[in-house]
Amino acid sequence: MTVQDSIETKLASLDPLHLEVVNESGNHNVAPGSESHFKVTIVCPQFEGMRLLDRHRMINDLLAVELSGPVHALAIHAYTEANWESRFGQAPMSPPCLGGSKAD
């Protein structure tokens, strides 16, 4: 499992409305193929009523293993649905999964 896959899997446990994990390592002075710098954009109902600092702490706690090892930098953009909509409009929701053979 890649570091990016691990981050996505752990953050998916929050059941976000939108999750985007971008490996930004290529923008830094690291070896090709590195997974050390990431940006996370997450829209999550669980953030409602939480201060931004507490949202970041929640994400840092979930990703403690990654942050103690391979991840050198993590940019976090954590929004409630209302925060996202007031700044950017409708949150880009993922389409429902058709479950493989159901798409046939």
Side-chain angles (χ1 to χ4, degrees):
M1 177 180 289
T2 66
V3 175
Q4 183 164 346
D5 289 340
S6 178
I7 292 170
E8 289 172 350
T9 298
K10 288 181 178 184
L11 294 179
S13 71
L14 295 175
D15 199 24
L17 300 172
H18 174 74
L19 174 62
E20 182 180 11
V21 179
V22 178
N23 182 349
E24 296 185 323
S25 301
N27 300 336
H28 300 274
N29 189 22
V30 296
S34 292
E35 289 189 290
S36 57
H37 296 72
F38 288 90
K39 176 175 74 174
V40 168
T41 303
I42 184 169
V43 180
C44 188
Q46 286 183 320
F47 296 153
E48 196 64 49
M50 292 177 72
R51 296 178 311 152
L52 184 58
L53 180 61
D54 293 328
R55 298 174 199 176
H56 283 231
R57 284 180 177 154
M58 176 187 280
I59 291 169
N60 286 335
D61 288 347
L62 281 171
L63 303 178
V65 170
E66 291 76 11
L67 291 169
S68 69
V71 176
H72 170 73
L74 180 66
I76 301 171
H77 303 275
Y79 304 99
T80 65
E81 188 172 10
N83 292 147
W84 181 274
E85 287 179 359
S86 70
R87 292 186 69 177
F88 307 109
Q90 185 78 20
M93 304 305 169
S94 299
C97 179
L98 296 176
S101 63
K102 293 179 184 176
D104 297 335

